[in-house]
């Protein structure tokens, strides 16, 4: 499990670096003529415009997160609307612990 989570983490990081380099390349191609945003000389470039672009993309990402969070329905609420009820997790955990320790789980009748 640890190796899988490490692999997922590194894959996400590499995807972020890849998208970052695509964004830098696109900004350089679009603004390359005249006064580019990302010039080789730091005094000649307009880095503040690139940072404004990053800020706008971050705000857009935040609003997309808010839309997704607003539309999210917790699993129990969604199932309760359909008439399905879940068993409580603590009873399942207690029965599992008792079965692992060699004790007979208590069965409750309804």
């Amino acid at each position: 499990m640890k190796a899988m989570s490490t692999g997922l983490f590194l894959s996400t990081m590499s995807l972020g670096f890849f998208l970052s380099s695509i964004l830098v390349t696109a900004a350089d191609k679009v603004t390359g003529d005249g006064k580019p945003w990302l010039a080789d000389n730091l005094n000649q470039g307009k880095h503040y415009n690139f940072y404004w672009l990053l800020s706008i993309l971050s705000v857009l990402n935040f609003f997309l997160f808010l839309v997704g969070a607003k539309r999210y329905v917790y699993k129990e609420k969604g199932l309760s609307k359909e008439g399905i009820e879940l068993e409580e997790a603590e009873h399942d955990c207690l029965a599992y612990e008792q079965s692992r320790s060699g004790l007979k789980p208590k069965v409750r009748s309804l």
Side-chain angles (χ1 to χ4, degrees):
M1 188 68 175
K2 183 179 178 183
M4 194 160 79
S5 61
T6 303
L8 181 63
F9 169 72
L10 292 175
S11 298
T12 337
M13 289 289 292
S14 64
L15 181 65
F17 290 141
F18 182 69
L19 291 176
S20 173
S21 55
I22 287 176
L23 183 65
V24 168
T25 304
D28 193 39
K29 294 278 186 196
V30 170
T31 63
D33 299 335
K35 292 189 174 186
W37 287 1
L38 303 170
D40 291 334
N41 186 351
L42 291 176
N43 295 326
Q44 294 176 351
K46 295 184 176 182
H47 290 100
Y48 55 88
N49 287 339
F50 184 71
Y51 286 113
W52 275 113
L53 174 67
L54 291 179
S55 300
I56 290 169
L57 289 175
S58 296
V59 168
L60 179 67
N61 185 27
F62 178 68
F63 282 120
L64 289 175
F65 168 77
L66 288 178
V67 168
K70 190 72 173 170
R71 293 185 58 180
Y72 177 77
V73 176
Y74 188 64
K75 187 175 187 178
E76 289 182 10
K77 284 185 181 179
L79 292 176
S80 66
K81 286 182 181 178
E82 296 174 12
I84 302 172
E85 292 187 20
L86 297 177
E87 294 179 16
E88 292 189 27
E90 63 186 45
H91 297 300
D92 294 338
C93 292
L94 181 63
Y96 176 73
E97 289 174 7
Q98 288 174 347
S99 67
R100 286 196 50 132
S101 65
L103 299 173
K104 288 186 177 181
K106 295 180 182 177
V107 179
R108 295 190 299 176
S109 60
L110 297 175

